[in-house]
C-alpha cells in the first residue's frame, strides 16, 4: 500500500486521493512554480485511520522515508538544534471546507531548535520566538484540544501590560515570556509537557488533522454542502517558509478575478511581517494586494506572472495563498475559486472570449441553481433591517407587503392595488387564491414540503415557512413575535425566501435583470450579466436533447412559461377548476342522490371548465398541453367537519332538518378516509363517479374544437392520474373516445388529441408494458411515485422524522427534493424500458417537483425521457441543466 506521495508525484486530477490542497500543490510544483517542497499523506490513510482508530500499517515507515528525502533536499533535519527544518501539517479534503479542519505551522520547533532557527536567521531571536509561540498556540489548541481563548487571553493580556496594540510591537523578551506562559498552560491543561521531540509533534499533528474530519462543525458543514461523510482528509507536510521575519516578508491571499463580479484584476489582501493565518484572522489591518507593488515590486511582478500562469493553466478563476520571505515569493495554495452566481456567468463567457474554454465547458461551469439565484429579486443587504423571526427558506425571493391573515383579505387588498404578504399558521388548498394574490407567503408551521412551500415554489412566489417563533392568531388578525411585539393586519413586513428571514417594515428590494430579460423587457438587454446569461442559455438550448415544459394551470402561467421558453405544458392540474365559486356545484355533485342530480351538477361545471381549457390551450397554441383529469380526494372540496357540525346544529335548533348542510355533513362523514393519499382519488374517482371524467374530457375537446374553428392549433393531451392497472385506463379511455366522437359529430371538426397516463404507482411500473398498449404517453408523477415507493406520506414525514434521517445519513437529501436514483430511479428506468418495448413511439415525460431539480434532470436525460416539466420559473433552470447534461462529456468536479 502506498499512503504517501511527494509533491512532485501528484496532479490536480487526484483530489480523491490527495485532497484538493495536496493535488493542487503537486500541480503547481510540476508547473515549476515556487512551492516549498513537501509530501502528502493520502485520504486513503485517513479513511483507514478513521475506520480502525489507529494509524494504518506501514504509514510510519513511509512518512520516515519521505521525511528523510525532504531533509536531504532541504539540507536540514526536522527540528535540528542548529539548523532546524520546520514543516506545516495541513489538512485538505477533496472538497474545500474552509476553516473547518486544522493546520499546524512551525512543527519541529522546541526549546533548542528555536535557538538554531534564530542563529540561522542572522541572530533574529524575535522571529524565532514569534514562530515558537505560534506553534505552541496552534499545537495547544488543535492537537491538544485546549480552548483557543486560553492562548488569546494570554497574548492580549501581555499586549495590554506592555501598552501595545499589535503583536509585532512585542519585544523578543515579551515573546520569550509568552512561550513560557503557553508551555505552562499546556502542562496545566493536559498534565504533560509540550512534546519536544519533533517527530512526535509531526505524528500528533497528523493524527489531529485526521481527527478534525469528524469535528461537529465539519460534520455540519458537510451536511449543508452535501459533501459525503466518508471521504476523509489528506495531510500535507510542507516545509515552512516565513512571512514573519521582518518588513521585507509577509503573507497574502489573492484571486485572479473578482469572485463577486467576475471582473479581471488584482484582488486580494497582503500583510507584512506576518504568518499565514494572520491575514484571514483579522489580527492586524491588511493592505490591498495592489500595495505590494509599492512594498516589493519584484515579488509583486512575480506574483502577477504566477497568477497569469495559473489562470491559463486552470482556465478558470483561481484563488491563491502565498508568502513572501525576504523578497522571495512562495506559493502555498491554489484552487479554482468559489464565486457568486453573477460572477460564474460572467467569467464563463469571458473565458470563452479569451479562447481558454469552449462553449460546452462554459455551460458546464454554471449551474441551474446559480441561474435561479439570479432570477429572484433580492433584498438590499446594505439596508437597515429589523429581523423578527427565522423560518425555513421555502421558496426564494424577496417580498414586501402588508401582513394579511386570510385569503379573502389578500385578494381584496391586492385587487385594490396593495402588495400583501399572506400570513397563516399553515395553508390549505383553499388559500390558493390568497397565495396567488399575495407577493409572499409566511407560515409559522410546516416544512419545506408543506402545502405552502410546494405551491409557492410552483408559482415562483416567495415563501418562508415554519417560522415557529411567531404566534399567528388568524382570528385576531395578528401575530406576536418572540420578543412580544405585535404585527397586526396592515403592518408592512418583508420576507426573504432565500434565507428564511422575516423583517419588520419595508426592506428595499433590488430587481433581477435576468427575469426582466426572460420576460422580454428590452430595457434589460444592455446589462452585461443578462448578456452572459442569454449567451449561455442559447448554447444550452442548442445542445440539449431533453424538452422542457411547464406545469401551469392558468392562461397567465402558461403565457409566462412560454416566454420563459417552455415548449408546452407537461402538467395542467384541473383541481382549481373545482374551487372558488364552483365549490357549491362540486358539493351538489357529491351529495347528488340521483343520476339526474349528478348530471345537472356536471353540466353546470362543463361550460366553466371549457372556458378554462380554452384559455390555456390558446395561450399554448401550437404546443402540447397535458391536462390531468381530477386527482385529489373529493373531501378536499368539502367544508370543514367542525364548521359544518356547528351549522347543522344551529339549523337543527331552528327545526330545519333537511338543509344542504345536513347532506354535506353526511358526505363528509362518508368520505372521511384514514389515509386519503391511498384512498378515493385519481382514476378511481373517474371510475366511481360516472360522468366526471367524461365531463372533463368533453370540456377539453369542445374547447379544442372551438379553437380549431378559430384557426388555431390546440394540442391537448388527456392524462389519467394514479393508474395502477391497464383495466382502469381502458375503462376511462372508452368514455373519452366516445366523447371525442360525439364532439366531432356535433361540431364537424376533426380532433387531434392524445390519451396517456401518469406513472406514479409501483404497480403501474410493473405493468408498464401492458399500460403502454393503451397509453400514447407516460408522465412520471415522481412525487407520488416517491411516496408510494418509500411508503411514507409526504405531508407527514418531513415534519416528523426527516431531520433524523438526514442527520443519520440515511439519505443525503430529501427524496422529494432530488430524485432517489437508486430506488425510485430504478422504477422510472424499468417503466421506460417496458413502455418503449411495447410502444416504440411512446412519449415520455416527468411532471412534479423533480422536473425542476438539477440533479434529477441529469438523470431524466440519461434515462431517455423526452421532456421534463416544472414550474414556469424553473423553466430556464431546466433548459440550462438539460443543456449541461448534454454537454457533460467531461465534467470535472471543481467544488
Ligand atoms: P486552510 O485550509 O485553513 O487555508 P492551510 O493549510 O492553507 O489552511 O494553512 C493556512 C495558512 O498557513 C496558509 O494560507 C499559509 O499562509 C500558512 N502556511 C501553511 N503552510 C505553510 C508553510 N509551509 N509555510 C508558510 N506558511 C504556511
Ligand atoms: Mg489555505
Ligand atoms: Mg400524483
Amino acid at each position: 500500500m502506498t499512503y504517501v506521495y511527494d509533491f512532485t508525484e501528484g496532479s490536480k486530477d487526484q483530489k480523491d486521493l490527495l485532497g484538493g490542497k495536496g493535488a493542487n500543490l503537486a500541480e503547481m510544483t510540476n508547473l515549476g512554480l515556487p512551492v516549498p517542497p513537501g509530501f502528502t499523506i493520502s485520504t486513503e490513510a485517513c479513511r483507514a485511520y478513521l475506520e480502525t482508530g489507529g494509524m494504518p500499517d506501514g504509514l510510519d515507515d513511509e512518512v520516515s522515508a519521505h521525511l528523510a528525502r525532504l531533509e536531504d533536499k532541504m539540507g536540514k533535519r526536522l527540528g535540528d538544534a542548529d539548523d532546524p527544518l520546520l514543516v506545516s501539517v495541513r489538512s485538505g479534503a477533496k472538497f474545500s471546507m474552509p476553516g473547518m479542519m486544522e493546520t499546524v505551522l512551525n512543527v519541529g520547533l522546541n526549546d533548542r531548535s528555536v535557538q538554531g532557527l534564530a542563529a540561522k536567521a542572522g541572530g533574529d531571536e524575535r522571529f524565532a520566538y514569534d514562530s515558537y509561540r505560534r506553534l505552541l498556540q496552534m499545537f495547544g489548541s488543535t492537537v491538544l484540544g485546549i480552548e483557543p481563548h486560553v492562548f488569546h487571553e494570554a497574548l492580549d493580556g501581555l499586549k495590554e501590560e506592555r501598552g501595545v496594540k499589535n503583536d509585532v510591537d512585542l519585544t523578543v523578551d515579551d515573546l520569550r515570556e509568552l512561550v513560557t506562559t503557553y508551555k505552562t498552560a499546556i502542562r496545566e491543561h493536559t498534565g504533560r509537557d509540550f512534546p519536544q521531540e519533533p517527530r512526535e509533534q509531526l505524528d500528533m499533528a497528523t493524527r489531529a488533522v485526521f481527527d478534525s474530519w469528524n469535528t461537529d462543525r465539519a460534520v455540519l458543514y458537510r451536511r449543508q454542502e452535501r459533501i459525503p461523510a466518508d471521504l476523509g482528509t489528506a495531510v500535507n507536510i510542507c516545509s515552512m517558509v516565513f512571512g514573519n521575519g521582518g518588513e521585507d516578508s509577509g503573507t497574502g491571499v489573492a484571486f485572479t478575478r473578482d469572485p463577486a463580479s467576475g471582473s479581471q484584476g488584482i484582488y486580494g489582501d497582503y500583510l507584512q511581517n506576518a504568518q499565514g493565518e494572520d491575514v484571514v484572522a483579522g489580527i492586524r489591518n491588511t493592505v490591498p494586494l495592489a500595495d505590494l507593488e509599492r512594498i516589493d515590486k519584484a515579488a509583486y511582478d512575480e506574483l502577477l506572472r504566477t497568477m497569469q500562469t495559473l489562470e491559463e493553466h486552470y482556465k478558470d478563476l483561481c484563488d491563491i495563498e502565498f508568502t513572501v520571505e525576504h523578497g522571495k515569493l512562495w506559493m502555498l495554495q491554489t484552487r479554482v475559486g468559489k464565486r457568486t452566481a453573477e460572477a460564474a456567468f460572467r467569467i464563463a463567457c469571458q473565458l470563452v472570449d479569451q479562447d481558454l474554454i469552449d462553449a460546452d465547458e462554459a455551460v458546464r461551469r454554471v449551474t441551474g441553481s446559480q441561474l435561479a439565484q439570479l432570477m429572484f429579486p433580492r433584498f438590499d443587504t446594505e439596508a437597515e433591517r429589523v429581523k423578527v423571526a427565522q423560518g425555513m427558506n421555502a421558496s426564494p425571493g424577496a417580498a414586501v407587503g402588508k401582513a394579511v391573515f386570510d385569503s379573502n383579505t389578500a385578494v381584496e387588498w391586492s385587487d385594490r392595488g396593495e402588495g400583501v404578504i399572506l400570513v397563516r399558521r399553515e395553508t390549505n388548498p383553499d388559500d390558493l387564491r390568497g397565495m396567488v394574490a399575495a407577493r409572499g407567503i409566511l407560515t409559522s408551521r410546516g416544512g419545506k414540503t408543506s402545502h405552502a412551500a410546494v405551491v409557492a415554489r410552483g408559482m415562483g412566489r416567495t415563501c418562508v415557512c415554519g417560522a415557529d417563533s411567531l404566534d399567528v392568531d388568524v382570528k385576531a388578525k395578528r401575530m406576536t413575535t418572540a420578543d412580544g411585539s405585535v404585527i397586526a393586519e396592515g403592518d408592512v413586513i418583508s420576507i426573504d425566501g432565500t434565507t428564511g428571514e422575516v423583517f419588520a417594515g419595508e426592506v428595499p428590494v433590488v430587481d433581477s435583470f435576468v427575469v426582466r430579460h426572460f420576460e422580454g423587457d428590452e430595457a434589460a438587454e444592455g446589462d452585461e450579466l443578462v448578456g452572459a446569461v442569454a449567451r449561455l442559455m442559447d448554447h444550452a438550448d442548442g445542445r440539449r436533447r431533453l424538452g422542457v415544459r411547464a406545469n401551469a394551470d392558468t392562461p397567465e402561467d402558461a403565457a409566462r412559461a412560454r416566454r420563459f421558453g417552455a415548449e408546452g405544458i407537461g402538467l395542467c392540474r384541473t383541481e382549481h377548476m373545482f374551487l372558488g365559486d364552483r365549490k357549491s356545484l362540486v358539493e351538489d355533485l357529491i351529495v347528488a342522490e340521483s343520476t339526474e342530480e349528478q348530471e345537472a351538477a356536471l353540466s353546470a361545471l362543463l361550460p366553466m371548465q371549457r372556458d378554462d381549457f380554452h384559455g390555456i390551450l390558446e395561450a399554448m397554441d401550437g404546443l402540447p398541453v397535458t391536462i390531468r383529469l381530477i386527482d385529489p380526494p373529493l373531501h378536499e372540496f368539502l367544508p370543514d367537519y367542525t364548521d359544518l357540525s356547528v351549522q347543522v346544529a344551529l339549523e337543527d335548533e331552528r327545526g330545519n332538518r333537511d338543509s344542504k348542510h345536513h347532506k354535506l355533513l353526511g358526505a363528509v362523514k362518508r368520505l372521511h378516509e384514514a389515509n386519503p393519499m391511498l384512498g378515493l382519488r385519481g382514476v378511481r374517482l373517474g371510475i366511481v363517479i360516472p360522468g366526471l371524467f367524461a365531463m372533463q374530457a368533453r370540456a377539453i375537446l369542445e374547447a379544442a374544437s372551438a379553437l380549431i374553428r378559430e384557426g388555431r392549433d390546440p394540442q391537448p393531451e388527456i392524462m389519467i392520474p394514479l393508474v395502477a392497472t391497464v383495466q382502469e385506463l381502458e375503462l376511462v379511455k372508452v368514455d373519452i373516445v366516445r366523447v371525442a366522437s360525439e364532439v366531432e359529430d356535433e361540431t364537424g371538426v376533426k380532433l387531434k388529441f392524445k390519451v396517456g397516463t401518469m406513472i406514479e404507482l409501483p404497480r403501474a411500473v410493473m405493468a408498464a408494458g401492458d399500460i403502454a398498449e393503451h397509453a400514447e404517453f407516460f408522465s412520471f408523477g415522481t412525487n407520488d411515485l416517491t411516496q408510494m415507493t418509500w411508503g411514507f406520506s409526504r405531508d407527514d414525514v418531513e415534519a416528523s422524522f426527516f431531520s433524523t434521517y438526514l442527520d443519520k445519513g440515511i439519505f443525503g437529501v430529501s427524496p422529494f427534493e432530488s430524485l432517489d436514483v437508486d430506488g425510485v430511479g430504478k422504477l422510472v428506468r424499468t417503466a421506460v424500458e417496458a413502455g418503449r418495448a411495447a410502444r416504440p413511439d411512446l412519449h415520455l415525460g416527468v411532471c412534479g417537483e423533480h422536473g425542476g431539480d438539477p440533479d434529477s434532470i441529469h438523470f431524466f436525460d440519461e434515462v431517455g425521457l423526452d421532456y421534463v416539466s416544472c414550474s414556469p420559473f424553473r423553466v430556464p433552470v431546466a433548459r440550462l441543466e438539460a443543456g449541461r447534461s448534454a454537454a457533460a462529456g467531461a465534467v470535472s468536479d471543481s467544488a
Side-chain angles (χ1 to χ4, degrees):
M1 193 74 202
T2 307
Y3 286 124
V4 185
Y5 301 84
D6 195 86
F7 287 171
T8 53
E9 292 176 307
S11 84
K12 70 174 168 39
D13 302 321
Q14 290 178 295
K15 293 201 192 87
D16 283 317
L17 184 68
L18 304 176
K21 197 179 288 168
N24 288 320
L25 282 167
E27 188 77 12
M28 286 198 292
T29 302
N30 293 324
L31 277 175
L33 296 176
V35 176
F39 54 88
T40 302
I41 303 174
S42 72
T43 57
E44 271 172 5
C46 178
R47 288 193 292 270
Y49 169 82
L50 292 174
E51 255 164 47
T52 62
M55 289 297 191
D57 285 346
L59 178 61
D60 190 58
D61 290 344
E62 278 190 56
V63 170
S64 299
H66 277 268
L67 186 59
R69 245 179 284 160
L70 182 64
E71 289 174 334
D72 287 348
K73 193 182 274 180
M74 305 300 290
K76 304 166 189 240
R77 306 281 136 210
L78 182 70
D80 185 270
D82 301 321
D83 182 11
L85 169 68
L86 304 184
V87 295
S88 56
V89 178
R90 316 169 64 188
S91 59
K94 174 176 182 183
F95 300 109
S96 109
M97 297 169 48
M100 292 299 130
M101 291 185 300
E102 309 295 2
T103 282
V104 185
L105 305 181
N106 306 332
V107 168
L109 278 178
N110 56 27
D111 293 349
R112 288 186 310 141
S113 62
V114 68
Q115 304 292 348
L117 184 66
K120 281 288 161 183
D124 189 348
E125 290 204 311
R126 197 197 169 283
F127 152 69
Y129 277 93
D130 183 57
S131 303
Y132 196 18
R133 63 100 187 166
R134 289 168 187 272
L135 169 65
L136 290 168
Q137 173 180 347
M138 277 185 257
F139 198 92
S141 56
T142 70
V143 182
L144 302 175
I146 301 168
E147 288 292 332
H149 69 81
V150 171
F151 301 101
H152 291 148
E153 277 163 19
L155 176 61
D156 290 344
L158 187 64
K159 282 195 290 194
E160 210 166 297
E161 240 171 72
R162 298 291 180 267
V164 300
K165 230 176 97 216
N166 289 316
D167 56 321
V168 282
D169 302 325
L170 293 172
T171 65
V172 59
D173 287 334
D174 296 335
L175 293 171
R176 243 196 221 105
E177 183 182 326
L178 201 56
V179 162
T180 309
T181 314
Y182 282 0
K183 283 199 292 189
T184 311
I186 288 175
R187 191 172 336 102
E188 276 172 4
H189 280 85
T190 64
R192 58 163 286 193
D193 285 321
F194 169 72
Q196 293 284 319
E197 169 56 35
R199 179 60 197 269
E200 190 186 1
Q201 293 173 6
L202 179 81
D203 291 339
M204 287 176 76
T206 302
R207 204 178 265 266
V209 170
F210 282 166
D211 285 330
S212 71
W213 177 256
N214 277 330
T215 57
D216 289 348
R217 62 176 184 195
V219 170
L220 192 70
Y221 181 83
R222 286 199 292 273
R223 196 174 302 146
Q224 272 170 3
E225 298 290 309
R226 298 193 192 174
I227 297 172
D230 55 2
L231 298 175
T233 178
V235 178
N236 303 288
I237 312 289
C238 183
S239 46
M240 284 302 299
V241 292
F242 299 96
N244 57 333
E247 295 296 300
D248 62 347
S249 301
T251 184
V253 295
F255 292 95
T256 57
R257 293 167 197 248
D258 181 353
S261 71
S263 317
Q264 272 176 287
I266 312 298
Y267 297 90
D269 299 300
Y270 184 71
L271 190 57
Q272 264 171 291
N273 195 12
Q275 206 169 48
E277 316 269 59
D278 296 359
V279 186
V280 278
I283 293 188
R284 279 177 276 143
N285 285 339
T286 57
V287 299
L289 188 58
D291 287 9
L292 181 59
E293 182 166 24
R294 178 174 50 72
I295 298 167
D296 187 339
K297 176 99 170 74
Y300 180 75
D301 288 344
E302 190 182 354
L303 177 65
L304 255 49
R305 277 196 303 278
T306 306
M307 281 164 67
Q308 172 111 26
T309 307
L310 286 173
E311 266 235 340
E312 279 167 16
H313 184 72
Y314 282 87
K315 304 180 191 308
D316 208 342
L317 175 161
C318 294
D319 86 28
I320 291 164
E321 295 174 5
F322 67 92
T323 278
V324 177
E325 182 182 52
H326 302 308
K328 160 112 185 82
L329 175 74
W330 290 100
M331 299 300 294
L332 290 169
Q333 187 173 330
T334 193
R335 68 187 156 213
V336 168
K338 292 206 157 83
R339 65 207 70 187
T340 62
E342 181 175 335
F345 277 83
R346 287 222 174 105
I347 291 174
C349 286
Q350 288 164 8
L351 293 171
V352 174
D353 292 338
Q354 289 175 274
D355 280 335
L356 284 172
I357 60 174
D358 63 15
D360 269 5
E361 177 63 20
V363 162
R364 286 197 289 269
R365 294 239 183 127
V366 292
T367 66
S369 49
Q370 285 169 336
L371 178 61
Q373 280 175 39
L374 297 180
M375 290 178 63
F376 292 107
R378 285 196 246 159
F379 284 126
D380 190 350
T381 41
E382 314 275 294
E384 212 171 293
R385 319 191 287 179
V386 186
K387 182 169 165 182
V388 294
Q390 176 71 49
M392 278 182 249
N393 51 340
S395 177
V400 181
K402 293 185 172 170
V404 295
F405 296 85
D406 64 289
S407 285
N408 284 339
T409 314
V411 173
E412 266 170 41
W413 290 25
S414 100
D415 279 351
R416 64 175 199 234
E418 295 197 83
V420 299
I421 306 285
L422 179 64
V423 184
R424 305 283 288 166
R425 224 168 264 168
E426 52 208 343
T427 62
N428 61 52
D430 248 357
D431 287 318
L432 194 66
R433 287 175 323 122
M435 295 172 77
V436 172
R439 289 190 181 158
I441 297 125
L442 168 63
T443 68
S444 59
R445 286 208 214 133
K448 280 197 196 179
T449 61
S450 64
H451 177 267
V454 172
V455 175
R457 273 199 297 278
M459 299 192 297
R461 197 69 85 251
T462 298
C463 176
V464 171
C465 65
D468 53 15
S469 70
L470 293 175
D471 185 8
V472 176
D473 187 341
V474 173
K475 288 239 160 63
K477 301 195 168 200
R478 60 179 194 182
M479 60 178 160
T480 313
T481 67
D483 68 5
S485 55
V486 170
I487 292 171
E489 184 176 77
D491 290 350
V492 173
I493 57 171
S494 304
I495 61 171
D496 189 331
T498 314
T499 62
E501 292 167 297
V502 182
F503 304 99
E506 175 173 353
V507 178
V509 165
V510 212
D511 240 0
S512 158
F513 269 111
V514 173
V515 164
R516 289 169 59 187
H517 156 70
F518 287 135
E519 289 280 11
D521 177 353
E522 283 177 15
E525 299 311 316
D527 185 68
E528 192 207 322
L529 173 61
V530 166
V533 170
R535 219 169 124 185
L536 297 181
M537 289 301 289
D538 277 352
H539 187 72
D541 281 336
R543 229 24 196 95
R544 69 186 159 90
R545 183 195 64 77
L546 203 58
V548 177
R549 297 193 191 178
N551 299 347
D553 309 342
T554 63
E556 297 73 40
D557 277 358
R560 165 175 295 131
R562 215 177 166 145
R563 291 196 295 276
F564 280 19
E567 296 147 329
I569 290 180
L571 175 63
C572 170
R573 300 180 186 86
T574 55
E575 287 73 287
H576 73 281
M577 300 178 185
F578 294 85
L579 288 171
D581 28 346
R582 302 170 190 181
K583 256 188 146 169
S584 76
L585 294 174
V586 177
E587 291 167 3
D588 291 347
L589 174 68
I590 294 172
V591 300
E593 279 163 359
S594 65
T595 329
E596 290 76 42
E597 281 179 28
Q598 216 162 34
E599 276 171 10
L602 286 171
S603 340
L605 280 166
L606 175 70
M608 301 177 177
Q609 300 218 344
R610 188 174 52 217
D611 284 351
D612 293 336
F613 292 129
H614 190 278
I616 290 166
L617 289 167
E618 187 173 34
M620 272 288 155
D621 189 44
L623 295 173
V625 177
T626 307
I627 298 165
R628 179 177 73 184
L629 301 187
I630 186 160
D631 183 44
L634 283 186
H635 61 78
E636 284 193 10
F637 302 99
L638 292 178
D640 176 72
Y641 176 77
T642 323
D643 292 350
L644 212 50
S645 306
V646 173
Q647 257 161 343
V648 164
L650 288 174
E651 281 164 15
D652 277 352
E653 252 170 47
R654 283 188 232 115
N656 176 1
R657 298 194 171 274
D658 199 25
S659 71
K660 182 170 169 188
H661 292 132
H662 281 76
K663 288 189 193 158
L664 277 175
L665 186 62
V668 169
K669 284 185 187 153
R670 187 160 32 94
L671 291 174
H672 173 79
E673 291 172 323
N675 295 305
M677 277 300 154
L678 305 176
L680 178 57
R681 51 175 288 225
V683 68
R684 302 161 194 170
L685 284 172
I687 289 171
V688 170
I689 304 178
L692 179 59
F693 275 14
M695 181 278 287
Q696 287 201 291
R698 178 172 279 277
I700 294 166
L701 295 171
E702 286 184 356
S705 177
L707 281 164
I708 294 173
R709 265 175 288 147
E710 293 161 28
R712 304 301 190 91
D713 177 23
Q715 299 188 13
E717 303 183 340
I718 299 174
M719 178 159 81
I720 317 298
L722 220 72
V723 164
T725 158
V726 69
Q727 284 85 352
E728 290 169 320
L729 183 61
E730 282 184 88
L731 268 175
V732 297
K733 201 176 160 187
V734 169
D735 268 356
I736 295 169
V737 171
R738 176 181 48 76
V739 168
S741 65
E742 284 168 15
V743 173
E744 285 185 341
D745 288 349
E746 288 157 20
T747 61
V749 174
K750 179 91 185 98
L751 289 167
K752 194 176 68 174
F753 67 98
K754 285 184 181 167
V755 179
T757 180
M758 293 194 69
I759 299 290
E760 51 188 340
L761 294 173
R763 196 190 185 290
V765 170
M766 302 329 282
D770 288 342
I771 293 175
E773 307 267 352
H774 294 268
E776 288 164 277
F777 63 88
F778 285 175
S779 177
F780 290 93
T782 51
N783 297 343
D784 264 316
L785 190 57
T786 299
Q787 75 178 354
M788 301 294 185
T789 301
W790 283 85
F792 45 46
S793 114
R794 171 180 176 163
D795 294 335
D796 296 318
V797 289
E798 189 177 58
S800 55
F801 66 81
F802 258 35
S803 60
T804 312
Y805 266 43
L806 289 164
D807 282 351
K808 299 218 181 283
I810 297 172
F811 29 69
V813 49
S814 156
F816 289 115
E817 264 178 54
S818 202
L819 190 84
D820 154 38
V821 169
D822 299 331
V824 179
K826 279 203 181 127
L827 292 175
V828 171
R829 203 184 285 275
T830 305
V832 166
E833 283 163 9
R836 284 239 165 94
R839 183 191 285 261
D841 65 347
L842 183 71
H843 207 64
L844 297 165
V846 63
C847 55
E849 297 256 301
H850 296 104
D853 169 66
D855 290 339
S856 312
I857 290 170
H858 288 245
F859 172 77
F860 295 134
D861 188 27
E862 187 240 319
V863 84
L865 298 195
D866 295 298
Y867 67 88
V868 294
S869 187
C870 54
S871 64
F873 268 91
R874 295 299 285 186
V875 165
V877 172
R879 283 162 54 202
L880 180 61
E881 287 295 346
R884 294 184 70 223
S885 175
V891 191
S892 60
D893 40 16
S894 55

